[in-house]
Amino acid sequence: MPILNRESFKDSASGDGLPKLPLPSLSETLDTYLRCMKHLLTEEQFSKTQNIVMQFGAPGGVGELLQSKLVERREKKANWVYDYWLNDMYLSNRLALPVNSSPAMVFPQQNFKAPIDSLRFAAHLMSGVLEYKTLLDARALPVDYARGQLSGKPLCMEQYYRLFTSYRLPGPDRDTLVAQESSVMPEPEHIIVACKNQFFVLDVVINFRRLNERDLLTQLEKITKMAGSEDEPVPPIGLLTSDGRTEWAEARSVLMRESTNRDSLDMIERCLCLVCLDEASETEQSDATHAALMLHGGGPSKNGGNRWYDKPMQFIVGADGCCGVVCEHSPFEGIVLVQCSEYLLKYMIGSPSKLVRAASVSELPAPRRLRWKCSPQIQKLLTSSAEKLHRLVKNLDMNVHKFTDYGKEFIKKQKMSPDAYIQVALQLAYYRCHGRPVSTYESASTRRFQQGRVDNIRSATPEALAFVRAMTDRKVISSDKEKMELLRCAINAQTKYTILAITGMGIDNHLLGLREVACEMKIEKPEIFKDKAYRISNHFILSTSQVPTTVEMFCCYGPVVPDGYGACYNPQSDHIIFSVSSFHESPQTCSVKFVKCLVQGLQDMMNLCNRCNCGPNPAEQRRNNQTVEMQVHTETQDKTSQKTSDSTKNPPTNPQVLMKSIDPTFAKAQIQTSAKGKD
C-alpha cells in the first residue's frame, strides 16, 4: 500500500482543496420549491403560495436583495450555509437529545456468559478506539470518495476529527459546539466510564505509555468494584443531560456553583468518549428493544442515568450483550458514525483480544470517581428530568424489520437505483397508511465541498405520487405497463433530485440562507417564510436516511416531529433492514402498521417488476436454492446450522463554536493505508 502524503491529506481533511459550496440561482430554487409543494397543498393554498413566491422573486424585490447578500457571503466564507445550518438543525433546537436528535448504531447481540466477558469486550473496544484515535491524531485516515450518484469525487474529512475532540455545551437559547485543537502542551487523555450512574476517569496514558488491553481490563474491573461499593445512594447526574436543552443549561449553571461539580464537568467534557457499562435491562431480546435501549437507555429505572448525552460518542456495553453506540449529532453525520463503528468491529474481529501481561504498566493508579455536590434545587431538577425521560421512553414506538424477500441486487437487476427505489417504497407505504403525500426529508451529503454537511432530497415528488396512486387507488385503473412506466418516472425524478442535492443545488439550504440573511439584516420576515406552505414544507412527517453498513449492525433514530416517522434503512445484497420509529401519543402514527404497509409495497413493486420484466422472483428462487441445498446436504450427510436475526431545531447569528486545546498523542509519522469511503 502507498504511504499517505500527509500534506496533501491536510487539504482533504480540512476541505481546503475542495470547491466551495455553490449558490443556486434564486429563480431555480423558487421554481423547484413550487414544483415540490404543489401536490402537497390544496388548490387555494397553492394559488396563494404561488403569488407570494412570484412577489418574492420579482425583479428588484426582496428576494434579489437577499440573494445578493448570499453572493457576498459565499465570497467570504468557506461554506456560506454552514453556520446557518448548524444553528437551525441542531444548536437552536431545544428538544432533548435522546430519541429526538441523537442516532444510535446497534451492534450484534453479544453472548456474555459471565460479568468478566462484558468487561473484556469493553476493554477490546476501548483498545480499538485508541487505535482509531491514533489514525486521527496522525491525520492518516484515508480520504473518503463518493459512491453511488456521481461517484469518485474526494470528500471533506473534517467531520471525522470531531469524533473524540468535541462536545455540545447547553445554552439557554442556543447550544455551543465546543471543539478542541492540537497544542504543543500535553494534556491527559482519558475516557469516562459510566457504571451504575457513576462516572469514573480512566486515564489511557500513564507515564507517557498508552495502556494496553490488559491494563484497560484491570481498570474496568476496579471501576465495577468501586461502583458497587458506594454505600450512599449516588445521584444520577447523567439524567440532567437527557432533558430539554434549556432545562439542562439551567441545571448545569446550578451545578457550576460548586467547585467539585466544576471539576467533574470539566473531566467529562474533555474526555475522548464515554464507555457506558450498563446493567442487564431485563427486557425481551429483540432488535427493536435493543434499538430503543440504545436511544434512551431504558429510562431512569434502567440505564437512562448511565449516560452523558453532550459527548459525541458513547459506547454502550450491556451486561446482557446489548451493545452499540449513541452519538451527539451536531459534530458529524451518520457516515462518520458508521465508518468509525465498522473500524471498531472489524478491529475486534481481526485483532484477537490481547489479554497478556507483557509491556503493561505496573502498579496502575486506581481510576478516579467523579464526585457531585447536589443541592435541593439539583435534586428537584433531577426528579423533573427523570419524569420527562420516563415519558419519552413510554412514548417511543420502535419497530425494526428485516425484509428478506429481496435486497439491492434484485433492484439493480431492474436497472434502478436501490436508494431511489426504497424511497418510492416509503412513499407508497405512507400513502397506503394515511391516504396522502407528506413533506419528506432524505439526507444528502454535500461533502464534495468545503465544510460540507447535508441538504435535503425532497422525496415526495409528484412523480412518486402518481405511482402510488396507480398502485393503491381503485378509481385509477392502470395496466402493469403503465404502472411500471410510472415507477421508472418516480425513480428517475428521485435520482435527479438526489443529484441536485449532492451537487449543492438543493432548495432547503438556499431557502434557509435567504431566511437567515433577512434576520441578520433586521428586515421584516418575508411573506414566503410566514406562508403556511413553508411551514408544511419543513414539517417532515417522513424523516428518512439510508445508512448502509458492511458489517452486521444497523442504525436507528426517532421521529423529528410529533406526528411523524423516522425511517432508517440499511440495504444489503439479499435483504433490507428497516428501523421505523414513531410516537405512541400521536393518534396518526403506528410503526407496526407502517412496516406492514412497507412490506406489502415492496412485495407489490417486486411483483410488478417480475410481471413486466419476466425476471425471477428472488424469494421463490431463494426457496428453490434452499431446497436444492437441503438435498445436497442430505446426500452428503453434512450438518449445517443457519443463524437469523429477528425482524428488527433563534437568532440568526453564527453558531457558537469554541476552540480548546488538547495534545495529540501517539501520532504515527507514517501510516500505510489506502481505502475508499462511502458517501
Side-chain angles (χ1 to χ4, degrees), residues 220-239:
L220 288 174
E221 289 181 284
K222 291 178 184 178
I223 286 172
T224 56
K225 290 179 182 178
M226 292 169 68
S229 66
E230 186 71 10
D231 296 329
E232 296 183 7
V234 179
I237 296 295
L239 284 175

Side-chain angles (χ1 to χ4, degrees), residues 101 182 241 288 357 361 387 392 476 485 493 568 597 624 638 652 673:
S101 179
S182 297
T241 71
R357 275 292 177 191
V361 178
E387 291 172 350
L392 184 61
V476 179
E485 183 60 30
C568 186
C597 290
N624 292 338
D638 179 25
T673 183

Side-chain angles (χ1 to χ4, degrees), residues 112-159:
F112 298 144
K113 296 180 180 179
I116 191 66
D117 292 342
S118 64
L119 298 186
R120 288 196 181 104
F121 181 90
H124 203 180
L125 180 67
M126 292 166 70
S127 183
V129 168
L130 297 180
E131 286 291 326
Y132 197 72
K133 180 67 163 52
T134 299
L135 289 173
L136 294 172
D137 288 342
R139 309 298 271 188
L141 205 63
V143 176
D144 287 349
Y145 287 83
R147 291 186 178 180
Q149 301 295 335
L150 308 183
S151 61
K153 297 286 186 180
L155 304 176
C156 180
M157 298 293 289
E158 189 177 89
Q159 296 176 37

Side-chain angles (χ1 to χ4, degrees), residues 626-638:
Q626 289 172 349
T627 302
V628 172
E629 283 183 23
M630 289 174 63
Q631 292 172 348
V632 172
H633 290 318
T634 302
E635 292 169 3
T636 60
Q637 295 188 3
D638 179 25

Side-chain angles (χ1 to χ4, degrees), residues 387-431:
E387 291 172 350
K388 281 182 271 189
L389 181 60
H390 177 72
R391 290 200 299 270
L392 184 61
V393 170
K394 291 290 185 182
N395 197 11
L396 181 63
D397 180 7
M398 175 64 67
N399 188 294
V400 180
H401 179 78
K402 186 175 181 180
F403 178 79
T404 58
D405 285 16
Y406 60 93
K408 63 183 179 183
E409 290 307 314
F410 170 77
I411 304 172
K412 288 179 179 178
K413 288 178 180 178
Q414 314 308 311
K415 295 181 172 55
M416 299 174 181
S417 158
D419 182 67
Y421 182 100
I422 295 170
Q423 282 291 325
V424 173
L426 289 167
Q427 293 298 312
L428 177 55
Y430 189 88
Y431 194 88

Side-chain angles (χ1 to χ4, degrees), residues 55-76:
Q55 184 178 0
F56 180 78
V62 66
E64 286 194 348
L65 172 63
L66 299 177
Q67 178 76 355
S68 68
K69 294 299 181 181
L70 285 182
V71 171
E72 294 174 8
R73 181 181 176 86
R74 185 178 182 272
E75 292 299 314
K76 299 174 184 177

Side-chain angles (χ1 to χ4, degrees), residues 201-321:
V201 179
L202 197 164
D203 291 312
V204 295
V205 180
I206 297 178
N207 297 330
F208 304 101
R209 182 193 293 271
R210 193 181 86 191
L211 269 60
N212 62 30
E213 193 174 324
R214 180 77 187 196
D215 296 329
L216 293 170
L217 177 58
T218 298
Q219 298 298 72
L220 288 174
E221 289 181 284
K222 291 178 184 178
I223 286 172
T224 56
K225 290 179 182 178
M226 292 169 68
S229 66
E230 186 71 10
D231 296 329
E232 296 183 7
V234 179
I237 296 295
L239 284 175
L240 297 174
T241 71
S242 74
D243 210 329
R245 301 308 291 172
T246 298
E247 292 84 350
W248 165 219
E250 176 192 350
R252 186 180 181 280
S253 66
V254 176
L255 284 171
M256 289 287 286
R257 296 170 187 168
E258 294 284 348
S259 61
T260 299
N261 298 340
R262 290 198 295 271
D263 290 343
S264 295
L265 287 167
D266 180 65
M267 293 305 293
I268 294 176
E269 292 166 354
R270 288 192 295 108
C271 73
L272 297 177
C273 63
L274 263 77
V275 172
C276 306
L277 304 178
D278 278 8
E279 297 183 281
S281 62
E282 299 179 353
T283 54
E284 60 169 319
Q285 297 295 308
S286 70
D287 285 343
T289 300
H290 290 172
L293 289 172
M294 286 300 113
L295 291 174
H296 54 51
S301 64
K302 292 188 170 66
N303 296 293
N306 211 44
R307 301 285 186 274
W308 200 269
Y309 284 100
D310 295 348
K311 287 302 294 184
M313 299 292 279
Q314 297 190 92
F315 297 97
I316 317 301
V317 180
D320 53 3

Side-chain angles (χ1 to χ4, degrees), residues 371-620:
R371 297 292 184 178
W372 307 94
K373 287 189 177 181
C374 293
S375 63
Q377 185 179 1
I378 288 295
Q379 294 288 358
K380 184 178 180 180
L381 291 168
L382 277 169
T383 300
S384 175
S385 297
E387 291 172 350
K388 281 182 271 189
L389 181 60
H390 177 72
R391 290 200 299 270
L392 184 61
V393 170
K394 291 290 185 182
N395 197 11
L396 181 63
D397 180 7
M398 175 64 67
N399 188 294
V400 180
H401 179 78
K402 186 175 181 180
F403 178 79
T404 58
D405 285 16
Y406 60 93
K408 63 183 179 183
E409 290 307 314
F410 170 77
I411 304 172
K412 288 179 179 178
K413 288 178 180 178
Q414 314 308 311
K415 295 181 172 55
M416 299 174 181
S417 158
D419 182 67
Y421 182 100
I422 295 170
Q423 282 291 325
V424 173
L426 289 167
Q427 293 298 312
L428 177 55
Y430 189 88
Y431 194 88
R432 194 163 254 157
C433 273
H434 303 282
R436 64 188 179 101
V438 289
S439 186
T440 303
Y441 185 101
E442 182 192 2
S443 57
S445 173
T446 57
R447 288 175 58 212
R448 291 165 174 79
F449 308 101
Q450 295 179 41
Q451 297 180 5
R453 293 293 297 262
V454 296
D455 204 341
N456 177 26
I457 304 170
R458 290 192 163 266
S459 304
T461 64
E463 292 84 356
L465 178 58
F467 169 71
V468 302
R469 280 176 171 166
M471 295 292 285
T472 59
D473 194 340
R474 295 177 181 177
K475 297 178 181 178
V476 179
I477 302 174
S478 304
S479 66
D480 282 347
K481 182 179 179 181
E482 290 170 326
K483 290 176 181 177
M484 193 66 189
E485 183 60 30
L486 289 171
L487 173 57
R488 293 199 178 276
C489 285
I491 289 175
N492 288 339
Q494 177 72 16
T495 302
K496 287 179 181 178
Y497 203 107
T498 298
I499 293 173
L500 279 178
I502 65 177
T503 56
M505 304 303 286
I507 68 170
D508 284 70
N509 283 350
H510 191 193
L511 290 171
L512 171 65
L514 293 166
R515 189 190 77 194
E516 296 304 292
V517 163
C519 290
E520 286 184 348
M521 295 176 68
K522 292 181 171 54
I523 64 175
E524 183 182 352
K525 180 184 284 189
E527 195 65 30
I528 187 174
F529 302 120
K530 295 188 288 187
D531 183 28
K532 184 177 181 179
Y534 186 69
R535 295 197 300 273
I536 292 173
S537 75
N538 285 281
H539 188 80
F540 295 112
I541 289 178
L542 266 180
S543 176
T544 72
S545 182
Q546 175 183 227
V547 184
T549 65
T550 61
V551 299
E552 185 186 351
M553 61 179 177
F554 65 90
C555 184
C556 58
Y557 52 80
V560 298
V561 293
D563 57 342
Y565 294 98
C568 186
Y569 51 97
N570 182 351
Q572 298 294 310
S573 59
D574 61 351
H575 67 274
I576 310 169
I577 300 173
F578 291 95
S579 302
V580 175
S581 61
S582 62
F583 290 123
H584 288 296
E585 290 179 2
S586 170
Q588 292 93 355
T589 59
C590 174
S591 295
V592 170
K593 182 180 178 182
F594 185 89
V595 168
K596 183 178 180 181
C597 290
L598 179 58
V599 169
Q600 182 184 349
L602 287 166
Q603 291 171 339
D604 289 350
M605 290 167 70
M606 175 190 70
N607 293 333
L608 176 63
C609 290
N610 288 333
R611 290 195 302 269
C612 293
N613 301 332
C614 298
N617 183 314
E620 186 65 36

